[in-house]
Amino acid sequence: MVKDRSKLRVSEVIVLLFMVMATVSRIDLANDKLNFILSPALILGMIVCLQFGIGVIRRPNLSLPVKDYVIIAVMLLTWSALTLYDMSHPIQLRRLVLFTIVVVSSIGCYRVLYNSQHRKRLIKLFIRWSFIVYCLFSIVQVALFIYHQLTWIYEEPIPYFRLLHQMYGALIIRVNGGFLDANLAGYFLITLYLLIKKYKIYQPIIIPILVLILFTLSRSSIAVMLVILMLEFFSGALIGGKKGVRRRTIVMSLAALTILIVGTIYIGLYTDYFEIMWEALKARF
């Protein structure tokens, strides 16, 4: 298979950066001086919106199916209708502006991908870099969790970053990567899983993705992932559909779960925190 060595267009690079940074909401360029998070994705989203508008004017032939524009129009009109009841309130106006940026930038991103000759390459780069970014933020969260357990200091270490972890109880960490919400982190990981399955690339990171979904402690994400795995298992499509790979994936997943369970029991037997952990898990699940 011949690799695509041609250069990406500027518009494609901007869209790729936007897609990767959309997975990071832990960077606030305003450093808490605004009443919303000024993330790099928001700035890139405005650039994508501008790029989208210029692109529609300059190259109207590079369009999307009409149904996509209809969906966008319906979403914007619905959101406007829901916020018109009190447009004098600054929060409602801000929500409308931010939602408009999200919708238009998303459709602009989709338009570039839809017409790009490097679509698979862009998706491959997105999977690679977004997963790396997710893992880096997750490692920082775990490190801060350990530091917190040792020192009981719970404060942000770096300006402009929101790196602190979420916890259930005192000993259970929720690993969210670059997201502030564990559910969004789980849905993002599921999206990566589905993209990997569709394009049959980066197969080795499937197991880490499954483990990371567990560590989000997101009930909805775990439930959706279990349903997907069950459907794939019974349809013979799990991890590419090869029997040996399916068996290896199941064994490794069970091994990861066993390590988590045994580790929890070990902590419970040799420390006095088992009851706290158990109560936290019951409260969560």
Side-chain angles (χ1 to χ4, degrees):
M1 179 177 174
V2 180
K3 290 187 177 180
D4 183 4
R5 298 294 185 182
S6 58
K7 290 184 178 180
L8 298 175
R9 301 198 311 269
V10 174
S11 59
E12 293 172 333
V13 174
I14 293 174
V15 163
L16 177 61
L17 288 173
F18 169 69
M19 290 168 61
V20 173
M21 294 311 299
T23 67
V24 179
S25 53
R26 290 181 174 271
I27 300 177
D28 185 2
L29 299 177
N31 199 24
D32 288 329
K33 291 182 173 60
L34 300 176
N35 53 6
F36 63 93
I37 299 176
L38 184 62
S39 65
L42 182 59
I43 295 176
L44 288 168
M46 290 187 284
I47 296 175
V48 173
C49 289
L50 180 62
Q51 175 180 280
F52 174 59
I54 295 174
V56 170
I57 295 172
R58 293 181 59 185
R59 305 179 70 184
N61 58 312
L62 292 182
S63 58
L64 293 171
V66 175
K67 64 177 182 180
D68 294 313
Y69 286 112
V70 171
I71 292 173
I72 289 299
V74 169
M75 292 176 69
L76 285 175
L77 289 173
T78 302
W79 185 261
S80 300
L82 292 174
T83 55
L84 279 175
Y85 70 93
D86 189 14
M87 283 300 293
S88 61
H89 199 290
I91 292 181
Q92 299 297 330
L93 183 60
R94 187 180 72 246
R95 286 176 177 174
L96 177 61
V97 172
L98 291 177
F99 184 77
T100 303
I101 292 174
V102 170
V103 173
V104 177
S105 60
S106 298
I107 201 68
C109 176
Y110 180 42
R111 182 175 187 266
V112 171
L113 289 175
Y114 185 81
N115 296 283
S116 175
Q117 297 178 350
H118 309 101
R119 186 184 311 165
K120 185 172 181 179
R121 181 181 171 191
L122 287 170
I123 292 175
K124 184 177 181 179
L125 288 171
F126 165 71
I127 294 173
R128 177 197 302 172
W129 289 109
S130 62
F131 182 71
I132 291 174
V133 169
Y134 187 95
C135 290
L136 288 175
F137 274 96
S138 297
I139 291 170
V140 171
Q141 288 171 49
V142 173
L144 288 176
F145 171 74
I146 296 173
Y147 178 75
H148 171 244
Q149 295 298 316
L150 295 175
T151 63
W152 292 103
I153 297 176
Y154 191 76
E155 58 185 22
E156 295 289 357
I158 305 175
Y160 301 99
F161 285 82
R162 299 184 174 187
L163 301 174
L164 290 178
H165 49 279
Q166 295 179 344
M167 290 189 299
Y168 270 102
L171 293 175
I172 301 176
I173 181 176
R174 302 185 75 179
V175 181
N176 303 340
F179 295 89
L180 291 172
D181 185 275
N183 294 318
L184 290 178
Y187 303 150
F188 160 71
L189 292 170
I190 292 172
T191 302
L192 283 190
Y193 175 85
L194 295 175
L195 287 174
I196 290 171
K197 290 298 301 296
K198 177 176 176 58
Y199 290 96
K200 296 180 173 58
I201 53 179
Y202 297 132
Q203 299 283 336
I205 69 172
I206 284 182
I207 301 264
I209 285 176
L210 296 177
V211 174
L212 286 171
I213 291 174
L214 288 175
F215 278 109
T216 65
L217 296 182
S218 168
R219 293 167 293 190
S220 57
S221 300
I222 294 173
V224 170
M225 194 68 247
L226 286 175
V227 171
I228 292 174
L229 290 175
M230 288 176 60
L231 292 174
E232 290 183 336
F233 177 73
F234 289 111
S235 66
L238 185 61
I239 319 300
K242 296 180 180 179
K243 184 176 180 181
V245 179
R246 292 204 306 272
R247 185 183 298 111
R248 187 161 58 251
T249 301
I250 294 172
V251 170
M252 294 183 70
S253 300
L254 290 175
L257 284 173
T258 303
I259 291 172
L260 289 174
I261 294 172
V262 171
T264 302
I265 295 175
Y266 178 84
I267 292 174
L269 291 175
Y270 292 95
T271 69
D272 56 352
Y273 295 123
F274 181 78
E275 185 175 352
I276 298 175
M277 295 178 66
W278 177 246
E279 291 299 324
L281 285 173
K282 285 198 301 183
R284 179 58 190 158
F285 295 101

